[in-house]
Each structure stands twice: as structure tokens, then as C-alpha cells.
Amino acid sequence: MLNLILRRIAVAIPTLLILTIVTFYLMHAAPGGPFTSEKPLPPQVLANIEAKYGLNDPLWKQMVNYIGGIVTEFDFGPSFKYKDRTVNDIIAQGLPVTLVYGTLSFIFAVVLGVSLGVIAAVNQNSRFDYLAVGFTMFAQVLPNFVMGPILILIFTLWLGWLPGGGWNGGHWQNVIMPVIALGTSYMASIARLTRSSMLEILRSNFIRTARAKGIPERTIIWRHALKPAMLPVISYLAPVFVFMITGSFIIDMVFSTGGLGYFFINSAYNRDYAVMMGITLLLGSLTIFFNMIVDIIYGWIDPQIRY
Amino acid sequence: MKLTTKAFLMATAVTFVSASAWAAGTHPVTGEALADDQTFTYRVLDEHSSVDPQIVEDVSGAEIVRDLFEGLYNQDADGNLIPGVALSHTTNADKTVYTFTLRDNAKWSDGKPVTANDFVYGWRRLADPNTASPYQWFVEVMGLKNSGAVMAGDADPSELGVKAIDDYTLEVTLENSLPYFALTTTHSSTFPAPKWAVDAHGVDWTKPGNIVSNGAYVLTEHVPNERSVRERNPMYWDNDGTILDKVVALVINEESVALTRYMAGELDRTEIPAGQYPSLSKSNPDEAIVFPRLCSYYFMFNMSDSGPEALKDKRVRQALSYAVDRSIITENILQGGQTPAYTFTPGATANFEVPAVPFGEMSQTERDAKAKELMADAGYSDGLKIELIYNTSEDHKKIAIAMSQMWKQKLGVETTLANQEWKTFLDTRGNQNFEVARGGWCGDYNEASTFLDLVQSNSGYNDSKYSNAEVDQLLADAKTSDNPQPNYKRVEEIIADDMPLIPIYHYAGNYMLNANLKPWPVKNAEQNWYSKDLYKVAD
């Protein structure tokens, strides 16, 4: 296990370095710059601003300075767009928001999705099963940029139960709709995946053997069937989890939650170089970290996998 | 000592009496019943760039800055100058030296008096290359003496043409005569700055808790990408005359979500999404408002060497312009009170009288016939192929499609449409890698030159690279003229003939506005609104 972790870390460092270099060059290759605007700045003004941010240095030097700043001071640079904030400020503000609604959406999707899938599979071809299949099919294809505004329409305008947006320090009333909007389609996918995987397992020989031994159905499902049925679900969950906790542009945009997703996408539009780099590196690190966690869980859940 | 105490007590009593007048619930002038909750909540599309007066560059940021800080002059509901920190000014005969008299009762939110030195500091800070302000160039628009040298770092900011004669007298020296100089002092970049706060906190001086400001409000809360809150500044000299207690700006990117939240009563003001004005003005006639804005929507031709040969022919440019039926775009596509444009400068611009350019006087049928004739004269009666670029947006797309259809049906012109992401688009357009490109232009101040500078040969904004010596001369003369209007009129006539650009429409602003919030300055063409002038009446 320790060996696996060490090996992963050894690979992570060059991976992040390559990610930095590639992103840096791609970013600068995009036409326009952070200070390109409808009303172009006079050359003198532009030169003053570029000098202030070190953008007049050759590209390689800018990159060396950038990486140097991270390694020595953990300084990810300033935002060019939001002049009173650094990248560290932006991440410190956006990441907690994103982590909270991302994690809650994940829990919402997994708990509801797995339960729905298992119950549907156990009661295959029952009325509940048909209902579950129909509902999940619908929920899976409903994109969150449609679902978000519909939720606001229902819960804010018609029922007046929940505020239509904002984060409000993570107040539960503000969290509910983002979590449902982000989690629902994943919940549906998880339910469908769980159902089909469970059905397959329930038809397999070792379950038949267990039934023949007279083990109660409840024990068979909980003790014998659930764990192997979860394998395909877990390989699906790993990227979903990383995706959820790294933020959603749509959720941030529809619900004004102020999470990282919005900053990330907008930094690309604004050519806010340092913000884009900072969030890319953060997401890259999170992806590597959680992939490692998933590999560990794999080894624990499936005895056939050994590292 | 006794006298001071007495004066203080009296001042307190006056404050108390007038404050209780609000509590009693009537407006001191109009006598309307006031609402108990004087909070104004509005939607902004995007997070503001800054609330530092010398750094802010976006419209929604400038709106906040106008509440937090106060410059020499403010604007009234019609856009006229009214006293701010300055009570009045005098000028010398050739209008190169302006002397402002400041009020002696203006205070910063920390209780320090606002003096002429705070303006000197703010203006030097704006011009100083070390500040790296995106509005640094505004000192050149103001025409301050030595602005060019200071901006380039060749002269110390202390050489800028502004000085404090005493605490309440500010003297401004200009490079050349500038009759409209006083108008520039309502711009947020010319507001004073508190040196002690900037020195103490550096770039963090604008954060709530650190910020010191001299306007009617202070910034009390800011959650980036979510909300900013400003509340009454008890030190403001006219705090007694201010009625709104609290102003909240909520960042809501999605226009349709903002409308839903407005309908749910969470907002007092939001923009009306394109195409929804007709239905909303029927369902909520007291709330849907429309007013002209100082902005023009247009398409430009690439007239540089890299542009296509056909577009160098004036007749082709005219034909393409004539064939666009503006009323279809304003009445059928946008439906939000926009006005068809035949000149570049909007009619709402102060003192600007829209000249009757010949093609604007024709009917659309006449224009279409004339367009066909012009194309035939130019030798393109069999049609022409052109490429049109616009920045990615549903509305721009609809307009571009409508235009290309009009050109195809009326002139046989085949148009290739291409959309580009914003910064890529600006880069392409700025480097003249286009044939026809979309443009949108909003005035920086309420004077026709803010529009017409765009057609000056050496202007950095002139992406079509149009060049006409007569236009350049007329605009140069206008700068120092006491009455530049005839020059502007003549320039419009010339460009209506040369047609370096196709004016399509002049923008209209439209809002859903809480009917209890009054009085929104719809006649202020720059939409420079001040929360201190607004109030909420009771239901």
C-alpha cells in the first residue's frame, strides 16, 4: 500500500510539471491577452500595466518566475481581472463552496442512486422497478442548466420556500437546490448502473449457491451481492467525484454560489492567466489524489486486485 | 468649549429630527409615504473589477464607486452637473486654468476632512505608471498639463497640472483649452483617494473594514461573485438628505434566473432579456421601463490594405448599408425600445442634434432600389462574396443572419458568417483580419467626440482603418472650440457618405424596476445614478 502511494507521488510531480508547462504555453497561444478590450488601451498604458505584472518578459522567464513563486512562497500570482485579489484569495474563497456542494451532491447521488438501483433490481419487473427505470431515464437526460432554472421557478417563485441563489455562508436553504441540480443526473446514472450490475450478480452461480444453502434473501443481498455489484459503480464514481468537487460552471452561474467552476471558465475567457493556471494545477492535483484513493478502495473491495 | 458642545448638541438634534422624519415615513420634499425598509437590491451580470476609483474599469464597478466616493461634481437626474465636493469653479479667459472651490463640511468615513490634497493625490495616482490604471489615459482626455510625460514615466507625478492652493481650493492647469473640462469630473477615476488608507493597507485598502470613502455609503460586505453591500455613511455631509439605508448588488450571471428572482421579490431591479420587453410591458406595465442609452451597434468594413477590394469602393459600402432594414432588427428581433440608426452618434448625446443624412431620410423601398443601383454601378450586379464576423452571442447571431438574408435577397451578396470568442474576436478585428465585423460602442462621457473619435485616422479604436483628412481636421478643431456641434454634424454627414461603418441601432436600456423605487433617472443618458438620490415609497 505504502509502495503504491510513494509510486503515485513520484509520478505526480512530473505530471503536474508537464501540466503546468503545457497549460502555460497553450494559454499564451490563445489570441488576445488579459488587457485586450473593446476599447484598446493606449500603448503607453498597456506597457505600464504589462511591466507591473511582468508580462513583458520572455515567455520562458515568466514561466520560471511563476513556478519559482509557487515552490518558494506558495504564491500563485495576482488576478488581472479582479485587481484587489490574488489567486490564493480566489481559491480560498471558491474551493470551500465547491467542496461543500460537490461533496453533498455526491452523497445525495450515491445514497439515492444505489438505494434506488438495488431496490429496483431486487424487485425486477415490479411496478416500482418500472417507475424507477422511467424516472432515472428522464433524470439522466435532463441537463442541469435546464433543471436549475426550473427548480428556482418552482421553489422560489411559485412556492416561495427557498432563496433563488447566493451562498450565504453555506446556509442549508441556499445549498439544497445546487445539490439537487448537480446531483440528479448522476444519481440517475448510478441507479441504472447499480440496477443492471445487481441483476447480473443476482443471477450468478455463487448467489444461487447461497440461496440453495437457505441463507435469508436480505443477507444474500447485503453480505454477498452488494459488494461485487458495486465494482462497476465505483469505477464510474471516481471521475464523477473529482468532477463534482472541482466545481460546476453551470451551478455557479445559475445559483450564484461563487464556487471555483465559474472562476475557472471565466478565467479562460478573460485570459486571467494566473487564475487559470492556479485552478488548473489545483484540479490536476485533486484528480491525481482521488485517482489514487480509488485505486486503494479497489484493492480493498476486490480481492483479485493486488498492487 | 461650551459653544462647541452646544453646536454639537444642536447638530445632533437636527439630525435626530430629520432622521425621525424618515421614521415617520414621509419624503421631506414630495411628501410621499416612505417604506420602512429602505434597502435597494439589484442584479449585476458579473463581479465588479474593483472599487478603487483609480483602478475600476467596468460599469457595475463604477456604479458602486459613485456611491462610495464623491468627486468634484455629481450629475442630477437629467445628467446636468450639480455640486459634489466642489461647490463651484471659475476659469481663466482661454479655459486652460480651472479653479474649484470645495465645501468645507465634506468628510471621509473615518472623520477626516476631504481636502483638495485628496484630489491631487487621486489624480496623480491615476496618472502614475506605477499604479498601472486601465483608465490612466483619462488624464489625457482631461487634458491635464504634463499628462503625457507623467504617463510615460518621463516626469514625476507631482508635475501633473493639478495642485491644492489651500485645503478647499483646487487648481487645475490644462495642456490646451478645454471648454467641457468640468464634465469629466463626474468620472469615477477622478474621485479623491485617501492616501493614509492606501499607504496603510496597499492593494487591500478597498476591502470592507479597511476602506475609507467620502461618499454617501461605505462598503460593509463583499463576497466575490455573490454580493456586495454598501450602507449609509454617517460622516457624509448630506447624510440627512439620504434616504436609502442599504444597497445590495447581487451577482447573477443568468438573465432569465435574475428575472425569476425579481418576480419572486428578491430584487428591485434587473435587466429584461432580449425579446421579452413587449410581453413584460403588458403584464407589468408599472415595472418595465425603457430609456435611451449612449451606445451604438454597428458593423465596420475593413478599409485597410488587408481588406477586400470590393469594400474599398464607396458604392459597395453604401449599398450594403442601405440594404439593411434597421426596423426589422429593432422591431422584430430585439423588441426592446432600440432606435434604428443612420448616424453613429446617438441622438441622446448631450447637445448633439442628429443631422438629416440623405439615406436616413429615404424610405426602405427607396434605399433598396438605390442599393441595387449602386451595386450595379460598382460592377457587382452579379453579386459578391463577403465574410462577416461577430463575437459569440445569440443576439448578435440573429442580427447577422437577418442582415445576410437582406443582402442576399436584395443584392445577391453571399455572406459567410463566423462567430468568435470575445478576446479572439477583438484580436482578429484589431489586426484587421476581417472583411466586415460587428462593433458596439458606448460613450465614456456625454459628448459626441466620445463616439466620433472612433473614425479619426490615428485613433486606437479605429479598427476599420478609415482615414479622411477632413474628418481628422474637423475633430481636431472641435476639441478646442466653444461650439463644436457644427463640426460633429459635418463629420456625421461625411461618414454617412463614405460609410466606413453601418450604423444599425442605438441601444436602449430596459429594466424591470420595483414600482416603489423612485426616482430612477431615465433621462440621464449616461445612466450615472446615485443611490443617495433614490428612495422607496410605501406600498
Side-chain angles (χ1 to χ4, degrees), chain B residues 464-475:
Chain B
S464 68
K465 294 292 164 206
Y466 169 66
S467 174
N468 180 320
E470 193 187 347
V471 168
D472 292 350
Q473 191 57 49
L474 283 164
L475 290 173

Side-chain angles (χ1 to χ4, degrees), chain A residues 31-42 44-46 48-49 52-53 80-85 89 93 149 152-153 156-157 162-169 174 252-259 262-263 266 268-271, chain B residues 45-51 55 57 129-134 136-137 151-153 203-204 206-207 222-226 251-254 257 260-261 263-264 266 298 421-424 426-427 429 438-444 460-461:
Chain A
F35 306 107
T36 308
S37 78
E38 176 109 53
K39 298 186 176 171
L41 294 174
Q44 182 62 54
V45 177
L46 189 63
N48 289 337
I49 295 179
K52 177 171 171 165
Y53 292 113
F80 303 136
K81 166 94 178 165
Y82 307 111
K83 305 246 168 44
D84 53 355
R85 264 166 280 160
D89 289 342
Q93 186 239 325
I152 296 176
L153 202 65
T156 306
L157 184 61
L162 297 171
W167 187 242
N168 203 6
N174 295 71
D252 289 337
M253 202 165 92
V254 172
F255 296 103
S256 311
T257 34
Y262 180 78
F263 280 115
N266 256 20
Y269 284 128
N270 295 330
R271 309 287 192 272
Chain B
L45 165 73
D46 218 335
E47 172 66 15
H48 58 259
S49 59
S50 172
V51 294
I55 299 289
E57 56 178 322
N130 293 320
T131 310
S133 168
Q136 191 188 22
W137 52 270
M151 282 168 68
V203 289
D204 288 337
T206 51
K207 296 202 166 141
H222 178 211
V223 185
N225 259 352
E226 192 190 329
V251 181
I252 305 173
N253 310 122
E254 275 281 306
V257 169
T260 312
R261 293 179 64 179
M263 293 298 189
E266 290 188 13
Y298 65 105
E421 171 266 348
W422 181 234
K423 297 244 175 183
T424 308
L426 291 177
D427 193 74
R429 209 178 72 184
R438 186 221 148 229
W441 192 258
C442 290
D444 276 314
Y461 310 143

Side-chain angles (χ1 to χ4, degrees), chain B residues 123-340:
Chain B
W123 293 14
R124 284 180 184 165
R125 188 168 174 258
L126 177 64
D128 188 345
N130 293 320
T131 310
S133 168
Y135 263 93
Q136 191 188 22
W137 52 270
F138 203 73
V139 291
E140 275 194 324
V141 172
M142 296 165 83
L144 298 183
K145 194 160 198 248
N146 295 331
S147 51
V150 173
M151 282 168 68
D154 297 335
D156 190 79
S158 62
E159 313 219 351
L160 196 68
V162 57
K163 67 178 177 195
I165 303 289
D166 58 46
D167 274 358
Y168 301 108
T169 312
L170 183 76
E171 187 185 270
V172 181
T173 313
L174 305 181
E175 206 70 71
N176 298 301
S177 162
L178 191 66
Y180 61 85
F181 175 77
L183 291 177
T184 64
T185 64
T186 60
H187 193 272
S188 51
S189 63
T190 70
F191 292 174
K195 184 173 189 302
W196 59 99
V198 179
D199 288 346
H201 303 288
V203 289
D204 288 337
W205 82 273
T206 51
K207 296 202 166 141
N210 297 347
I211 192 167
V212 173
S213 61
N214 72 324
Y217 296 87
V218 281
L219 187 71
T220 53
E221 191 190 349
H222 178 211
V223 185
N225 259 352
E226 192 190 329
R227 64 165 66 217
S228 70
V229 180
R230 42 201 199 266
E231 289 177 76
R232 184 187 275 279
N233 173 9
M235 290 292 167
Y236 180 58
W237 63 268
D238 193 22
N239 185 37
D240 293 351
T242 307
I243 300 176
L244 280 186
D245 290 323
K246 190 173 171 184
V247 185
V248 182
L250 293 183
V251 181
I252 305 173
N253 310 122
E254 275 281 306
E255 218 168 31
S256 57
V257 169
L259 184 63
T260 312
R261 293 179 64 179
Y262 172 88
M263 293 298 189
E266 290 188 13
L267 298 166
D268 296 311
R269 192 199 87 183
T270 189
E271 286 76 10
I272 296 177
Q276 295 199 31
Y277 178 74
S279 62
L280 286 169
S281 60
K282 277 197 198 90
S283 61
N284 305 59
D286 297 342
E287 297 166 71
I289 61 166
V290 59
F291 48 87
R293 289 186 55 206
L294 285 187
C295 298
S296 295
Y297 191 106
Y298 65 105
F299 285 85
M300 65 185 81
F301 296 111
N302 180 0
M303 294 171 67
S304 75
D305 294 339
S306 65
E309 238 3 84
L311 297 182
K312 294 199 170 72
D313 190 325
K314 182 164 94 177
R315 292 166 296 185
V316 175
R317 297 196 301 269
Q318 287 174 338
L320 290 172
S321 174
Y322 290 9
V324 177
D325 187 344
R326 276 91 169 155
S327 61
I328 290 187
I329 293 172
T330 56
E331 281 161 33
N332 298 357
I333 299 179
L334 301 163
Q335 308 182 326
Q338 294 83 356
T339 44

Side-chain angles (χ1 to χ4, degrees), chain B residues 421-472:
Chain B
E421 171 266 348
W422 181 234
K423 297 244 175 183
T424 308
F425 172 74
L426 291 177
D427 193 74
T428 310
R429 209 178 72 184
N431 289 312
Q432 283 73 46
N433 290 325
F434 69 96
E435 296 186 1
V436 181
R438 186 221 148 229
W441 192 258
C442 290
D444 276 314
Y445 43 93
N446 195 359
E447 222 267 348
S449 61
T450 190
F451 288 92
L452 295 174
D453 277 350
L454 195 98
V455 290
Q456 202 161 20
S457 308
N458 57 3
S459 161
Y461 310 143
N462 182 352
D463 280 347
S464 68
K465 294 292 164 206
Y466 169 66
S467 174
N468 180 320
E470 193 187 347
V471 168
D472 292 350

Side-chain angles (χ1 to χ4, degrees), chain A residues 90-106:
Chain A
I90 289 178
I91 291 178
Q93 186 239 325
L95 186 62
V97 172
T98 297
L99 282 181
V100 168
Y101 77 69
T103 311
L104 289 176
S105 305
F106 183 75

Side-chain angles (χ1 to χ4, degrees), chain B residues 480-491:
Chain B
T480 54
S481 161
D482 266 339
N483 178 17
Q485 297 309 323
N487 292 28
Y488 298 148
K489 195 176 161 199
R490 180 76 197 115
V491 170

Side-chain angles (χ1 to χ4, degrees), chain B residues 496-507:
Chain B
D497 181 56
D498 272 350
M499 209 70 81
L501 49 88
I502 309 177
I504 302 290
Y505 66 85
H506 297 307
Y507 285 55

